[in-house]
Amino acid sequence: MDSIEQRVAQLENQVAFLQLYLGIDPAIAGDGGSVLPPEFHAALQRGKSIEAIRIYRKVTGASLVTAKDAVEAMMRKAGNH
């Protein structure tokens, strides 16, 4: 039987996958009130993915891979990628 920690980690991975698959911003979904700053959205609109990833990581504390996946999903959804 899996330990509680292993099960929680597995569930967190599943939630992260679903958020990416659905194009949901984890920063907004996490607490219902958190939003990414205007400079993030400006970078996203200009197609500046590296700048958007940097801002996303700073605000959310996400890993590089998670931030890259989230930003790319948001750019695809917005038609910028």
Side-chain angles (χ1 to χ4, degrees):
M1 176 175 260
D2 290 338
S3 72
I4 297 290
E5 291 84 10
Q6 290 172 323
R7 185 67 180 133
V8 168
Q10 183 182 24
L11 290 170
E12 287 175 342
N13 286 335
Q14 290 172 348
V15 168
F17 172 80
L18 290 171
Q19 287 174 327
L20 290 173
Y21 180 78
L22 296 171
I24 297 170
D25 178 3
I28 294 171
D31 63 12
S34 177
V35 295
L36 293 163
E39 55 268 16
F40 170 81
H41 297 288
L44 205 62
Q45 289 176 341
R46 291 191 320 269
K48 302 289 186 178
S49 60
I50 293 173
E51 183 180 347
I53 291 167
R54 181 185 55 76
I55 295 167
Y56 187 93
R57 290 188 72 201
K58 182 178 177 183
V59 171
T60 66
S63 71
L64 178 59
V65 172
T66 300
K68 180 181 176 288
D69 290 345
V71 167
E72 287 178 350
M74 285 183 256
M75 291 180 87
R76 278 192 303 275
K77 190 171 183 177
N80 293 348
H81 195 255

